[in-house]
Amino acid sequence: MAGGAPYIAALPLDAVGEMLNKLAADQGANTLQYGIGQGTLELRERICEVMALSGIDVGCGASPEDVVVTVGGQQALDLIARLFLDPGDVVLAEGPTYVGALGVFQSAQAQVVHVQMDADGLIPEALELAIAEVARSGRRAKFLYTIPTFQNPAGVTLTEERRERVLDICERAGLLVVEDDPYGQLGFDCEAPLPLRARRRDGVFYLSTFSKTFAPGLRVGWILAPHAVRDKLVIASEAQILCPSAFAQAAVATYLSTMPWRQQLKIYREVYRERRDALLGALADYMPAGTSWTEPGGGLFVWATLPDGLDAKAMMPRAIAARVAYVPGTGFYADGTGAGHMRLNFSFPPPERIREGVRRLATVMEQETAMREVFGTVGTPSRRRGQAGADVPGPDLA
């Protein structure tokens, strides 16, 4: 339950294989050649159709001209960092946040200041406080990085009311917003709220990927950027990779043009809903007292908070010995705190394996608690530490 891999076997792999064979045979002379830095027009047009399904349409200023195709969502993050961040700059991000984004920002030598969340997502008052604290230090945050829908790792979704407040706060502060939305079309219980980019045209960069809704192995993502920045992103991408894979782009464009991808989204939602329910049911049945967890309405992850005194990172070797894996919460904070939490993935393993994995994990936690009661422990893992280093309550995500 450690990874974030989609369940690719849910795809009609025979049909996809035939599509790829035909693509190579019919268009190989073009699709196996170099391409252009921005990405093919055909794919950018299909991407606009995909975004329209989430509410980002031409009325919101979405245009193929302002789409930049990237090598997955990870390159999209890296391009944003290259364009805006200098060493010592500040990035605001939810706490916890996506580990891959932290790697990008740290590589750019930026400081990540976490903004607290609860079960309703990013807390607007905490965002205002973070902006003010950064300003008092004599600096200014470059942008807010946020995953507002089915967040990774917490699984929570920013509410409708908070979306407007967050956008208002950022607008007043002159703060750019980088909206990462890999999971927005994977809602189980209801339609996801409109993305931030569907609400405001200016000052919002929208990032997404086909890794969670089609095939991560093709490594195709995109950025919808404000028009004035588009050319700079293309230049930065060309400097990195010259051009994205023409074959991978053609594969995605052909899939979107010729195959029932909307129906496939429904299949993924049904598969992941069943696995989410299996995980939540197993947690309720097996977890020891004092454990809490989020209940995501979509996406791939549940965020669990351990009983007081347990350290997810220290406990990892015992879990591996029991042949169960998770990601310790420390990976999702820039300062390495979060030891009292873990991320659990439910998209890849089947329901019966999920249930067995939780049973094993609960046994490991009970053994760890028993050992600590007998032998004691040196200190208690911090749930989270404030920017000045003082202990503060961890994110109320239960």
Side-chain angles (χ1 to χ4, degrees):
M1 296 182 287
Y7 185 58
I8 296 301
L11 286 169
L13 293 177
D14 289 346
V16 171
E18 291 176 8
M19 179 196 79
L20 295 175
N21 285 335
K22 189 173 188 304
L23 180 63
D26 295 350
Q27 301 182 44
N30 293 323
T31 59
L32 298 177
Q33 186 56 272
Y34 289 115
I36 62 173
Q38 187 175 355
T40 66
L41 177 59
E42 180 185 12
L43 178 58
R44 287 184 279 123
E45 289 174 342
R46 299 290 83 75
I47 285 171
C48 286
E49 293 176 7
V50 171
M51 290 191 295
L53 196 64
S54 299
I56 305 174
D57 55 21
V58 66
C60 304
S63 163
E65 292 303 309
D66 293 330
V67 171
V68 178
V69 178
T70 60
V71 182
Q74 193 68 19
Q75 193 210 3
L77 282 168
D78 191 66
L79 290 177
I80 295 289
R82 287 172 180 266
L83 205 60
F84 288 102
L85 296 179
D86 295 312
D89 281 345
V90 173
V91 174
L92 301 181
E94 294 143 344
T97 194
Y98 169 50
V99 63
L102 289 177
V104 167
F105 302 149
Q106 289 166 350
S107 178
Q109 300 180 53
Q111 179 193 356
V112 176
V113 173
H114 287 296
V115 182
Q116 192 173 2
M117 291 192 297
D118 60 17
D120 292 327
L122 187 74
I123 301 173
E125 294 80 5
L127 176 60
E128 289 181 307
L129 180 61
I131 292 170
E133 288 180 346
V134 170
R136 278 196 294 270
S137 72
R139 296 176 295 169
R140 182 172 174 271
K142 283 293 183 72
F143 55 79
L144 167 68
Y145 170 71
T146 177
I147 311 170
T149 306
F150 313 134
Q151 201 251 10
N152 177 8
V156 300
T157 295
L158 189 65
T159 61
E160 286 278 358
E161 183 266 343
R162 285 191 179 182
R163 288 177 186 240
E164 294 296 335
R165 290 175 64 193
V166 165
L167 286 168
D168 288 342
I169 291 167
C170 291
E171 186 173 307
R172 289 196 301 269
L175 186 66
L176 294 174
V177 176
V178 176
E179 178 182 18
D180 199 355
D181 189 26
Y183 314 105
Q185 294 183 343
L186 295 176
F188 313 145
D189 303 323
C190 60
E191 290 296 320
L194 282 177
L196 304 180
R197 181 58 181 77
R199 302 160 188 267
R200 304 286 169 93
R201 294 178 56 168
D202 299 326
V204 180
F205 291 78
Y206 180 83
L207 282 55
S208 193
T209 177
F210 291 104
S211 292
K212 305 302 187 292
T213 57
F214 179 27
L218 290 174
R219 309 305 302 130
V220 178
W222 73 91
I223 304 173
L224 176 64
H227 186 75
V229 185
R230 186 268 323 271
D231 287 345
K232 293 181 174 61
L233 287 169
V234 173
I235 291 170
S237 182
E238 289 174 339
Q240 276 188 326
I241 62 168
L242 189 61
C243 62
S245 164
F247 187 82
Q249 291 180 81
V252 175
T254 303
Y255 172 77
L256 295 171
S257 300
T258 65
M259 300 191 72
W261 61 273
R262 291 175 178 84
Q263 181 61 34
Q264 185 60 43
L265 284 175
K266 294 180 181 178
I267 292 171
Y268 273 132
R269 290 174 189 140
E270 292 168 2
V271 169
Y272 294 159
R273 180 192 294 113
E274 179 187 26
R275 296 178 181 207
R276 185 272 315 261
D277 291 347
L279 177 55
L280 295 180
L283 290 170
D285 289 343
Y286 291 124
M287 280 291 109
T291 312
S292 60
W293 50 87
T294 58
E295 298 188 3
L300 310 183
F301 306 109
V302 165
W303 181 251
T305 300
L306 305 182
D308 287 343
L310 291 190
D311 183 324
K313 187 173 182 179
M315 192 173 67
M316 192 69 177
R318 186 181 296 275
I320 295 298
R323 301 182 67 81
V324 61
Y326 55 84
V327 182
T330 50
F332 304 99
Y333 288 93
D335 58 3
T337 55
H341 307 275
M342 63 173 67
R343 189 192 74 177
L344 303 174
N345 167 258
F346 55 80
S347 62
F348 190 74
E352 63 274 12
R353 297 294 293 168
I354 290 173
R355 189 165 182 85
E356 174 60 15
V358 173
R359 187 195 67 78
R360 295 183 188 188
L361 181 57
T363 300
V364 169
M365 292 168 61
E366 290 165 355
Q367 292 172 344
E368 192 79 5
T369 298
M371 286 184 62
R372 288 174 179 270
E373 289 175 352
V374 172
F375 298 106
T377 180
V378 180
T380 299
S382 171
R383 295 298 191 198
R384 182 171 177 259
R385 299 183 73 85
Q387 296 304 318
D391 286 327
V392 297
D396 180 13
L397 296 171

